[in-house]
Amino acid sequence: MYNYRVATVWGIPIKVNISLVVFLPVLAWIIGGTGQIELYAGLVEVVSGVPLDVETLQAGNNGFVLGALAAIGLFASVTVHELGHAAAARRYGIETSAITLWILGGLASLERLPKEPGRELVIALAGPAASVVTGIACYAALFVVPASAPSVVFVLGFLAITNVTLTVFNLLPAFPMDGGRVLRAFLARSRPYVDATRIAARVGVMFAILFALVGLFGGAPMLLLLALFVYSAANGESRVVALEGMLDGFLVKDVVDRDRPTVDADVTLDAFAQRVLDDRVDHHVVRDRGGRVIGLVGLDALREHGRDTGTLVGDVATTDLPTVDLTTPAFDALREMDKVEYAFVTDGTDVVGIVEREDFASLLELTGLSQRDRFAQ
């Protein structure tokens, strides 16, 4: 929500979230206006061996300009980090739908996550590797830039230090950060993927608690935000992977309710209302005179139009539903229906029915009962 596309790299949209738009000036002020320039200038001197005049760097508006350049450079580095993930994923045929920069860094939205431990390991490490290369490149540039350009030396030194520092931090096994994904990849070598995710998520929650404590008692509000993100993301991905595991091996044809009540498109709403009372089912599949499925109609149509004897079901039926195929894996179909309750089901050519999210819930309930019975035996 509130993401703005600012560029495209390798066909991947680069988006900036509103949180970063608000935070970037604050970060620029933190770097350039709160004494941080003196701290980083000292570190850059140690790294580069080039003496920096702090008073010159802070004179007039120089501090805020340097802070802005450093902040923009930092998030440009984050973009390179995420492109590292995207490049490694593309190597395995996995595309990236977008890279989003936000207040806590960046997110590369992969179309799917690899289940092979080796591939996940490569993709997870590709981002930190890109950051290390960026840091080394900035460090090498320090020996090319003349000492007469202290502002450039400062920004390059800042980026060299922060890229390496953030890489080390990002490799902490706090799932779903990169280090957490590395941990899952190693765990998945010797145990089921769902179990590996569950363990990595628990480790992530432990780190989230640690981040929260340090942020609370150390006066670091950004760590509190990171703790909230790690906690919610770790638990969320653990649930998604568990759900995928339960639906593994099932297709849409195993989920769809073929006995869902139907109604002809040329039936009046008044007659449909009586049908609802008789069937005790609010939503009905709508078919045309040829028997083809053309849409879905429910109580919402009756609420909007009433029991109008002059209005036909076909006139008010919902016909713009997404489409899934009978042979689509159940989990993939459920993911495609993320924001809708119903979808058309096709046999590859014609629409043959409608599937509901509740159908997946019924299958999951049966699967859960089956697993418990098998465990009891």
Side-chain angles (χ1 to χ4, degrees), residues 104 208 211-212 222-234:
L104 290 179
F211 293 157
M222 291 299 294
L223 276 181
L224 289 174
L225 288 176
L226 181 62
L228 179 62
F229 166 71
V230 170
Y231 181 84
S232 60

Side-chain angles (χ1 to χ4, degrees), residues 136-145 156:
I136 292 174
C138 291
Y139 175 72
L142 290 173
F143 298 95
V144 179
V145 176
L156 288 173

Side-chain angles (χ1 to χ4, degrees), residues 153-193:
V153 172
F154 174 84
V155 172
L156 288 173
F158 171 86
L159 294 177
I161 294 169
T162 53
N163 267 284
V164 174
T165 301
L166 291 177
T167 296
V168 173
F169 181 79
N170 201 36
L171 284 175
L172 291 176
F175 189 82
M177 291 166 55
D178 291 339
R181 296 193 182 280
V182 170
L183 173 62
R184 178 170 67 178
F186 277 111
L187 291 172
R189 289 173 175 267
S190 58
R191 65 192 73 219
Y193 189 76

Side-chain angles (χ1 to χ4, degrees), residues 241-273:
V241 170
L243 174 63
E244 185 175 8
M246 294 180 70
L247 291 177
D248 185 41
F250 291 102
L251 305 177
V252 169
K253 66 180 181 180
D254 302 315
V255 180
V256 63
D257 182 2
R258 298 180 183 274
D259 297 323
R260 191 180 303 280
T262 64
V263 61
D264 293 334
D266 56 4
V267 169
T268 66
L269 283 183
D270 182 57
F272 172 63

Side-chain angles (χ1 to χ4, degrees), residues 41-54:
L43 293 175
V44 172
E45 286 185 2
V46 173
V47 170
S48 66
V50 178
L52 294 174
D53 186 350
V54 176

